[in-house]
Amino acid sequence: MMATEDIEAGEVIVSVPRNFLITNESLTKLYGTHSLSPHQLLALHLVLLTRDKQSWWKPYTDLLPMHFNTMPVNYPSELLSHLPNSLKQETMQQKDNIHTDYVTCLKFCKSKQLPQDITAEEFKWAWLCVNTRCIHMTVPDYLAKGENIALAPMLDFLNHTTEAKIESGFNIRTQRFEIKTLTAYKKGEQVYINYGPHDNLAMLKEYGFVLNENIYNFVLLDDEIWSLYSEVESKKGLKIKKEILEGSGYAGDYSIKKNEISFRLMAALRLLALDGTTNSGFDRRVMDWHDVVMGQIEYINSDNERKAYLMLESVCKQLAVKAKNELHVLSQKISEIYPKAEIHPFALYFSIQIWKESSEIIDQTLEYLSEKLSRI
């Protein structure tokens, strides 16, 4: 979407009248009472709209994407297996969600005497259209079960950048969904909106693309940290320390970013670095750990701190090797290993980009840890 003239900060750049919004409320009037979620209903409606060649909405449906082959949910298993574990798990969950919604909608069609020959692929395409293009309504819909979302023609063709600053929502006075830019544009420049503070793993899973420079990128280490706990602790010790983390709200979400190690990650490592749970004085040391978590002291002691950083260094070194191996496979040997796999070139490019970013974050973290350990 390009600026046809200069746009000042504070101007409304998109204004969609209510009767052009496809909402749960408008579809309930069409299909009657139902138990579907807004996402399910919008996806089903989109399938039926595209089948109607005389539909008033045909100009809109004709402009929707033909496929979503750059999204992990559509990757062949040969490529899906090379994604980071967290993204792989979330993608499998998304596949399950789509299948569950498909089955639910088929039951709804049967109850309402609507077409029941909808294919799984047809529904998946519509589900992903909704997932990638819906807006979140700011007016309550008391009939909606789940998130109050809608489809808004034209608005969904604006591209994303983290630099864009906007305000958006349904204007009750004008009865329109409006987007106001807080960023000025010159005539001929592309106009952007901001989808939110998403890292590239989330961007790829939800929208099917990544950004070259994304300030929100991070590497999740949950699997590695829990594996480390299982290796270091006895079954009893693992149970006790896991209960401590869960009770304190520090179980999981362990990440590293460029120039940043999450506090949650350090909390888990400092607890793991405490002497075994059967040793005398363990309760006292756990109290010290709680003092660190509460911000009353900076760290437990230099020995505990060193152990925590050494364990993180070990984890990062292993992950650095894995990242480089994945890059080697994806960048150098893809044609040899998957000669028959139908892989979209952008899907491959984005997968490589994900591992490059992870590798950079891990390498920076290792440099930081080396410097940190030299001073402890």
Side-chain angles (χ1 to χ4, degrees):
M1 299 283 273
M2 313 299 291
T4 57
E5 57 186 40
D6 290 352
I7 299 173
E8 299 294 328
E11 282 191 48
V12 173
I13 53 173
V14 177
S15 178
V16 184
R18 188 179 192 126
N19 61 316
F20 282 89
L21 300 175
I22 306 175
T23 67
N24 178 75
E25 183 182 16
S26 65
L27 295 185
T28 298
K29 293 176 183 176
L30 181 63
Y31 295 106
T33 56
H34 61 86
S35 59
L36 300 180
S37 70
H39 197 140
Q40 292 168 342
L41 186 58
L42 285 168
L44 174 60
H45 180 65
L46 206 51
V47 170
L48 299 178
L49 272 187
T50 56
R51 288 184 167 198
D52 182 3
K53 303 307 179 185
Q54 304 303 316
S55 170
W56 181 83
W57 291 94
K58 192 174 185 299
Y60 170 64
T61 57
D62 282 350
L63 288 173
L64 293 173
M66 295 178 65
H67 65 80
F68 291 95
N69 292 341
T70 63
M71 298 187 70
V73 73
N74 281 327
Y75 286 4
S77 58
E78 294 91 343
L79 183 57
L80 185 61
S81 64
H82 286 284
L83 294 178
N85 285 338
S86 60
L87 179 55
K88 216 181 321 185
Q89 292 165 9
E90 290 180 4
T91 299
M92 296 309 294
Q93 182 60 59
Q94 190 178 60
K95 282 189 175 185
D96 289 343
N97 293 342
I98 294 171
H99 177 71
T100 299
D101 288 354
Y102 172 60
V103 172
T104 300
C105 285
L106 286 183
K107 291 179 180 177
F108 174 77
C109 288
K110 186 175 181 179
S111 70
K112 296 285 186 177
Q113 296 184 331
L114 294 168
Q116 296 169 49
D117 60 341
I118 296 170
T119 66
E121 283 302 309
E122 198 176 9
F123 183 82
K124 183 202 282 189
W125 170 84
W127 194 97
L128 291 173
C129 278
V130 175
N131 197 64
T132 56
R133 311 176 87 79
C134 70
I135 58 172
H136 292 264
M137 295 289 284
T138 49
V139 290
D141 180 351
Y142 300 105
L143 296 173
K145 298 170 179 66
E147 287 187 291
N148 188 13
I149 59 175
L151 290 174
M154 190 177 79
L155 178 155
D156 54 7
F157 290 100
L158 285 158
N159 286 329
H160 163 83
T161 178
T162 55
E163 286 75 31
K165 294 179 175 59
I166 63 166
E167 290 179 355
S168 65
F170 188 79
N171 188 326
I172 297 176
R173 183 180 60 81
T174 63
Q175 289 294 292
R176 294 166 176 261
F177 190 92
E178 297 176 346
I179 294 181
K180 181 187 295 184
T181 179
L182 305 181
T183 306
Y185 295 95
K186 294 294 184 183
K187 181 179 179 179
E189 289 183 335
Q190 184 173 357
V191 180
Y192 293 92
I193 58 175
N194 193 324
Y195 296 174
H198 304 304
D199 71 294
N200 272 350
L201 292 182
M203 294 299 297
L204 187 58
K205 180 176 80 77
E206 299 296 338
Y207 302 107
F209 68 91
V210 300
L211 301 175
N212 287 329
E213 294 291 334
N214 191 334
I215 60 173
Y216 299 109
N217 282 341
F218 65 90
V219 176
L220 192 66
L221 302 180
D222 284 26
D223 288 345
E224 289 74 16
I225 298 304
W226 290 127
S227 293
L228 188 61
Y229 260 79
S230 297
E231 292 170 15
V232 173
E233 291 290 342
S234 64
K235 287 185 178 180
K236 182 180 179 181
L238 174 61
K239 182 175 182 292
I240 291 172
K241 288 188 175 180
K242 195 169 185 179
E243 286 176 351
I244 292 171
L245 289 169
E246 289 171 347
S248 305
Y250 280 84
D253 195 16
Y254 305 134
S255 63
I256 54 175
K257 298 176 67 174
K258 286 185 177 179
N259 306 313
E260 182 183 332
I261 299 170
S262 75
F263 186 78
R264 297 179 65 85
L265 173 57
M266 287 307 300
L269 290 170
R270 286 167 177 147
L271 181 63
L272 181 57
L274 291 180
D275 292 339
T277 54
T278 58
N279 295 349
S280 61
F282 177 71
D283 290 344
R284 175 61 257 172
R285 291 190 291 276
V286 171
M287 292 301 295
D288 291 338
W289 178 84
H290 276 291
D291 287 343
V292 175
V293 168
M294 297 299 292
Q296 295 178 13
I297 57 176
E298 187 176 349
Y299 57 88
I300 297 171
N301 56 53
S302 57
D303 183 55
N304 177 271
E305 199 75 354
R306 183 172 180 79
K307 284 182 181 178
Y309 281 121
L310 282 171
M311 286 189 289
L312 180 55
E313 183 181 52
S314 175
V315 166
C316 286
K317 283 181 177 179
Q318 292 176 29
L319 203 53
V321 172
K322 180 180 180 180
K324 287 174 174 57
N325 286 341
E326 293 292 357
L327 279 171
H328 177 69
V329 171
L330 293 172
S331 301
Q332 305 297 326
K333 296 188 176 182
I334 193 73
S335 59
E336 299 173 23
I337 299 175
Y338 314 131
K340 297 180 181 179
E342 295 181 3
I343 298 175
H344 193 286
F346 282 172
L348 178 58
Y349 171 80
F350 294 152
S351 300
I352 291 171
Q353 181 70 12
I354 289 291
W355 280 113
K356 279 183 178 178
E357 292 160 355
S358 294
S359 185
E360 289 172 5
I361 291 172
I362 294 163
D363 287 346
Q364 282 196 1
T365 302
L366 283 169
E367 289 178 14
Y368 170 80
L369 289 172
S370 177
E371 181 185 343
K372 191 78 175 178
L373 286 166
S374 68
R375 292 189 273 110
I376 298 178

